[in-house]
Amino acid sequence: MKQKYLLITVMMSVVLFVNAGGGPVHPDGGGRKVLMWTFARNNLDEWEAREQEIEDVFNIDLQLELVPQNRFIRELQAVMLEGKGAPDIIEWMIENNRILFSDPERCFVLPLNDLYDRSPAFQKVPTGRLSWVTYGGNIYGLPHDVHPVILIYNDTLWKEAGTDVAAIRDWDQFFQAAQRLIAKKEKSQPLHYALPMGDGGLGDTMWMIFQQTGAQFFDKEGNPLFTSNKFKAFMVKWFEWRSLGVFSNWDWGNFNKLLKDGTVCSYTSPDWWVSQVNAAVEDGRYEWRIRDLPLYPGGNGSRTSSWGGSFLAVPKTTKAPNFIFKLVEYMQYGNPNIAVERYENGGMLAPVPDAWDDPVFHRPDPRFDGQRLGELQVSLAPESPIVNVTDITWDIHQELNELYPLIARGDISIDEALDLVQDKAVKYMEDPQRGLRLRAE
């Protein structure tokens, strides 16, 4: 994979230098050292393969460092406070990031609104994807991928149960049909399940479907909405679906085996999880198909959602931030050929629409009887739902997840739990000291 990246990136750097007829012009870094931290091992492989290209285009000494996820924020805070050894660029996770705030004074990184206004490539990032790194109107990151979610399903077993999943319109119809799928049992347990779930709150399957509802944690002004009719309705519907017995456990370590033996007959999948079906396809017992997500009844109309991902950002301690702004813009969106290679080698869809006409996104996929996976993902990417994030989104997300098992056991009602979360959100909003700081206070 690195050889492929290296070949295409070296070719690209040559083109950039010889194109004197109005091609891209990049600032000269004068050989300066640029330190980048990332938490993602797989992304680091790509950056290392592109290192020479990026260095040649900007005349820099790019130094890449892998920082463990569980130490990333603590170490970033420490070096920024000390004023020595801080990175010029960070790559960090979109969800549960804990470093982005509406007030730029509190934020670990610089807002990128001016860069966004000047960058046609940045402006082409799907609005829904960009919403995840937008706090209080400030855009703080450049997303690495879109991660559109699709439904992958065992066409053989669903049809044996009397259902053509391709014809299902919405999730209500899906779960009604799922009751027929689980009818075949052994020792009183279903042989086949409709979907996996972690059953620990708003995560995995529940999180992906929630984004289709139109419900939000907060409105655009940052007011909590946990007691809104739409939020309550989703929670009620989810626990009704849960009671049907159609879910299996989301078993990370054995996921591909559960697909292979027919235990799990479908799953909601971002681009980075599609390959879990490969072993089942190679086994050959079952036919597999793909489609957009069924609609959520009364929801936002989106046929997809997103899950996971990372972004590039510029710490506020960075020297020469305007130069670094141009550098991260190029690294993330300036080379459409990399978007093609990323998809071809890893299956992940970069938010670079200018690359999406490439044939790699339109090939028949033999895993799914010739269905065109890339075309489906590209068509869904612009529908990625907008998410209103605030300074306390991830704190409240954790609070809700802690109440989830109490609801599941019947210890508290859904209304009681949502009232508690709503009250907690209001208290968090009234606490000006809540959250991490870059300086001791």
Side-chain angles (χ1 to χ4, degrees), residues 35-45 47-48 63-80 84-93 99 108 310-311 315:
L35 176 62
M36 174 179 165
W37 284 9
T38 181
F39 75 105
R41 173 75 256 183
N42 56 325
N43 289 2
L44 179 62
D45 290 340
W47 298 125
E48 288 178 339
Q63 300 188 3
L64 302 166
E65 186 172 339
L66 182 68
V67 179
Q69 180 176 321
N70 62 352
R71 303 205 312 261
F72 195 97
I73 294 180
R74 183 172 68 252
E75 293 192 9
L76 178 63
Q77 187 178 30
V79 295
M80 291 181 73
K84 294 190 332 184
D88 301 289
I89 303 167
I90 61 168
E91 181 172 50
W92 185 227
M93 57 189 185
I99 66 169
F108 282 43
S310 65
F311 63 96

Side-chain angles (χ1 to χ4, degrees), residues 372-385:
R372 299 175 191 269
L373 172 63
E375 283 189 359
L376 176 61
Q377 292 168 324
V378 164
S379 71
L380 294 175
E383 293 186 31
S384 182

Side-chain angles (χ1 to χ4, degrees), residues 11-88:
M11 290 174 63
M12 186 66 181
S13 64
V14 170
V15 170
L16 288 170
F17 277 118
V18 302
N19 185 4
V25 177
H26 301 287
D28 189 325
R32 75 176 70 199
K33 183 183 84 170
V34 175
L35 176 62
M36 174 179 165
W37 284 9
T38 181
F39 75 105
R41 173 75 256 183
N42 56 325
N43 289 2
L44 179 62
D45 290 340
E46 178 183 322
W47 298 125
E48 288 178 339
R50 294 185 61 195
E51 187 173 356
Q52 188 65 57
E53 167 221 348
I54 296 166
E55 290 181 335
D56 288 348
V57 170
F58 285 86
N59 188 21
I60 59 171
D61 175 15
L62 180 62
Q63 300 188 3
L64 302 166
E65 186 172 339
L66 182 68
V67 179
Q69 180 176 321
N70 62 352
R71 303 205 312 261
F72 195 97
I73 294 180
R74 183 172 68 252
E75 293 192 9
L76 178 63
Q77 187 178 30
V79 295
M80 291 181 73
L81 282 169
E82 187 178 356
K84 294 190 332 184
D88 301 289

Side-chain angles (χ1 to χ4, degrees), residues 135-199:
Y135 287 63
N138 294 305
I139 303 168
Y140 289 111
L142 299 90
H144 185 264
D145 299 285
V146 184
H147 297 324
V149 174
I150 63 171
L151 184 70
I152 301 177
Y153 62 95
N154 186 323
D155 195 48
T156 305
L157 291 176
W158 275 100
K159 284 182 175 175
E160 286 181 4
T163 299
D164 181 0
V165 174
I168 288 177
R169 172 174 170 76
D170 59 40
W171 285 113
D172 280 341
Q173 292 178 359
F174 178 92
F175 284 105
Q176 184 177 10
Q179 295 174 73
R180 296 192 296 272
L181 179 73
I182 66 170
K184 192 174 182 180
K185 294 181 169 61
E186 185 175 283
K187 296 181 180 179
S188 301
Q189 296 297 316
L191 291 175
H192 313 297
Y193 291 90
L195 287 170
M197 69 166 175
D199 206 26

Side-chain angles (χ1 to χ4, degrees), residues 175-245:
F175 284 105
Q176 184 177 10
Q179 295 174 73
R180 296 192 296 272
L181 179 73
I182 66 170
K184 192 174 182 180
K185 294 181 169 61
E186 185 175 283
K187 296 181 180 179
S188 301
Q189 296 297 316
L191 291 175
H192 313 297
Y193 291 90
L195 287 170
M197 69 166 175
D199 206 26
L202 275 170
D204 50 76
T205 302
M206 186 182 185
W207 184 232
M208 289 181 267
I209 295 178
F210 171 75
Q211 293 170 47
Q212 298 180 271
T213 65
Q216 296 275 359
F217 283 17
F218 302 91
D219 64 19
K220 292 181 180 179
E221 286 71 45
N223 302 304
L225 297 172
F226 296 97
T227 55
S228 67
N229 291 335
K230 189 163 285 190
F231 204 103
K232 286 184 177 181
F234 169 70
M235 293 293 288
V236 169
K237 186 178 286 291
W238 175 263
F239 278 96
E240 288 176 351
W241 290 339
R242 180 182 180 276
S243 70
L244 298 175

Side-chain angles (χ1 to χ4, degrees), residues 234-261:
F234 169 70
M235 293 293 288
V236 169
K237 186 178 286 291
W238 175 263
F239 278 96
E240 288 176 351
W241 290 339
R242 180 182 180 276
S243 70
L244 298 175
V246 300
F247 287 100
S248 70
N249 180 47
W250 187 294
D251 187 338
W252 289 97
N254 293 302
F255 202 94
N256 57 1
K257 295 178 183 177
L258 296 174
L259 298 173
K260 182 178 175 180
D261 66 18

